Amino acid sequence: EAQVTQNPRYLITVTGKKLTVTCSQNMNHEYMSWYRQDPGLGLRQIYYSMNVEVTDKGDVPEGYKVSRKEKRNFPLILESPSPNQTSLYFCASSYTGTGGLEAFFGQGTRLTVV
Amino acid sequence: TQLLEQSPQFLSIQEGENLTVYCNSSSVFSSLQWYRQEPGEGPVLLVTVVTGGEVKKLKRLTFQFGDARKDSSLHITAAQPGDTGLYLCAGRSGTYKYIFGTGTRLKVLA
C-alpha cells in the first residue's frame, strides 16, 4: 500500500529539548516536504526536498532543520523547540511529473512544546 | 508573498443543498489542486487542474480553474453528510513550491 508514514503521531516536549519527527514514503517519490498547520493560517511549507541531498526553505523555515540522505526518508529536526512551534505537522511526498505536484500526505504529528 | 484566499471560511448546509467554494489569488499558478481533510488525518488529493478555463468533474464535485489561472472554484451538487470536511486549495508556485489556501470548513447536516 502506497503511504507516507510519520512518527510519532503525538508528542509533548519541553522547551529546548531537541526532537526529530520522522517521515518515510514507499512510493519512490523524488519530492518530499514538511508543513505545519495552524488554525486560521492553513498549511504552511517549512522545507522541501527535490531529491537526495537537495533541500530548500519553504515559507516558515526558522527553527527547523531537515536532511535527505536517502530517497525514502525526510526527517524534521527541531534543535531547540519553543512553544510557538506547537502545531500539527504534516509530511508529504510527490512524484515530480508534469502538471501538479500531487501530494500524498502522512497522518500528521501533533506537537506540543511546553 | 503569494497568498491563496478561500471563501467562505465556514459553511454549514443541509443535505441536498448545492454550494460553491472559492479560491482566489493575485498570482498566477501553473496548476492548482483541491484537497479534502478530515479530522485527525492528512489532506487527500481530489483533483489537479492545469489549463486556464479547465473544468473537471468528480461525481457530484465540479472544479474549475480560472482563465487567468489565478483562481478556482469547487461546486458540490446535492451535498451529503459524507462531504463534511476541510477543503483546501493549493497552487503550484515555481517548480517545487506549494502555496495552500486557508481552507473552507464544510459541515453538511443530515
Side-chain angles (χ1 to χ4, degrees):
Chain A
E1 181 190 349
Q3 59 185 7
V4 177
T5 304
Q6 291 179 231
N7 279 295
R9 291 288 310 274
Y10 302 92
L11 180 59
I12 301 175
T13 191
V14 295
T15 299
K17 186 177 181 181
K18 180 179 179 180
L19 68 91
T20 299
V21 183
T22 64
C23 175
S24 179
Q25 51 97 1
N26 63 0
M27 294 166 279
N28 202 37
H29 286 161
E30 298 93 351
Y31 181 90
M32 296 184 75
S33 57
W34 276 102
Y35 297 87
R36 59 179 290 172
Q37 187 173 34
D38 302 288
L41 296 176
L43 276 160
R44 293 179 293 167
Q45 193 173 44
I46 302 170
Y47 268 96
Y48 60 95
S49 169
M50 295 77 87
N51 216 322
V52 176
E53 302 290 4
V54 184
T55 64
D56 205 351
K57 296 177 181 178
D59 292 318
V60 288
E62 295 77 21
Y64 304 95
K65 283 175 59 177
V66 292
S67 69
R68 187 91 181 274
K69 299 189 187 316
E70 29 180 11
K71 202 171 189 179
R72 63 182 292 126
N73 296 322
F74 189 43
L76 178 69
I77 303 154
L78 284 72
E79 294 270 2
S80 182
S82 62
N84 65 11
Q85 291 178 297
T86 292
S87 187
L88 179 58
Y89 291 86
F90 287 101
C91 176
S93 77
S94 308
Y95 166 65
T96 51
T98 56
L101 290 172
E102 286 84 357
F104 292 81
F105 282 82
Q107 288 194 296
T109 296
R110 186 166 292 280
L111 172 66
T112 302
V113 184
V114 297
Chain B
T1 304
Q2 292 177 295
L3 290 172
L4 268 172
E5 302 210 358
Q6 285 186 239
S7 61
Q9 277 190 287
F10 301 96
L11 193 53
S12 180
I13 61 172
Q14 291 294 130
E15 182 176 3
E17 292 183 7
N18 301 333
L19 66 113
T20 302
V21 176
Y22 299 93
C23 175
N24 295 297
S25 176
S26 57
S27 303
V28 175
F29 293 99
S30 57
S31 66
L32 196 136
Q33 296 167 344
W34 285 92
Y35 294 82
R36 182 167 69 210
Q37 184 180 15
E38 304 200 18
E41 303 290 333
V44 175
L45 180 70
L46 296 174
V47 77
T48 298
V49 285
V50 179
T51 308
E54 182 176 2
V55 176
K56 280 193 174 178
K57 290 195 173 188
L58 184 67
K59 295 183 183 177
R60 294 175 293 99
L61 279 59
T62 303
F63 304 86
Q64 183 161 9
F65 201 12
D67 290 341
R69 289 184 289 128
K70 293 182 179 182
D71 55 84
S72 180
S73 64
L74 157 61
H75 182 78
I76 301 179
T77 303
Q80 298 176 1
D83 296 325
T84 292
L86 178 67
Y87 288 81
L88 296 161
C89 62
R92 183 174 179 174
S93 169
T95 306
Y96 294 111
K97 287 199 68 174
Y98 262 134
I99 306 293
F100 273 84
T102 48
T104 294
R105 194 166 293 282
L106 172 65
K107 185 165 187 175
V108 182
L109 305 167

